[in-house]
Each structure stands twice: as structure tokens, then as C-alpha cells.
Amino acid sequence: LHQENQSTTTDENIRLALPILNSLTCHTVMVVTDRYHVPRALLVARGYGLTARAASPSMKGAHPLRLLRAFLREVPALALYALRLIRRKIAGPQ
């Protein structure tokens, strides 16, 4: 189990984890995050060429307004990350 703890965004988290994964010759990962964040986290991980699956804790007992806010935040965030991924693929390797 390895933790990357310097990032502040989903993209940074995956990008900063890549050197750790490469040193372990590991390209298959388990992303552990909140359920509402799973689609974006998997999009980013797969966008960096990783084989990724996700695990999430139950949302049972979570405050409904907190969940609603989180899900509503993820819709535009997922779209933005998808556009960034497309732009990165078009631009090619840096």
C-alpha cells in the first residue's frame, strides 16, 4: 500500500503517483475515493494509461445535502477533466 500525499487535485494525485507506480513496475491500481468521485478518478487514472478499478465506502448515513452538493460538483468537474484529457491527447506527449 502506497500513498501519495502531496497533491491537491485528482489530476495531481494520479500524476504524482506515477513515479511510485513506475518504480514498482505497477500499472494496475485500486483507486479508493468517495462514490460520487469515482467516475472522475477513473477517467484520470485511465487517461494516464493505468488499468484502474475503484472502491468506495458506503454513502449510507451521509447527509443528503452534502451528497447532493458533491454530486452536483462532480458533473462539471467530470466534464472539465474529460476536456483536459482530450486536449492532452491531442497535444501529445510533453
Side-chain angles (χ1 to χ4, degrees):
L1 181 63
H2 296 271
Q3 181 182 17
E4 181 287 305
N5 59 7
Q6 302 299 310
S7 61
T8 59
T9 67
T10 304
D11 187 77
E12 281 181 354
N13 183 231
I14 300 297
R15 188 167 30 84
L16 294 175
L18 288 175
I20 297 167
L21 296 168
N22 288 335
S23 72
L24 299 167
T25 62
C26 176
H27 300 288
T28 301
V29 297
M30 175 67 69
V31 177
V32 181
T33 190
D34 291 308
R35 189 161 295 156
Y36 54 80
H37 184 244
V38 164
R40 183 160 49 114
L42 290 177
L43 174 76
V44 174
R46 292 171 181 163
Y48 278 105
L50 299 170
T51 301
R53 294 186 319 154
S56 302
S58 170
M59 293 189 293
K60 184 178 180 178
H63 192 278
L65 286 178
R66 181 182 179 278
L67 287 177
L68 178 61
R69 223 178 15 247
F71 276 105
L72 291 176
R73 180 185 183 280
E74 284 302 310
V75 171
L78 181 59
L80 177 64
Y81 272 67
L83 289 173
R84 286 180 182 168
L85 177 61
I86 292 167
R87 187 177 320 145
R88 190 169 65 234
K89 287 190 181 285
I90 290 171
Q94 301 296 320

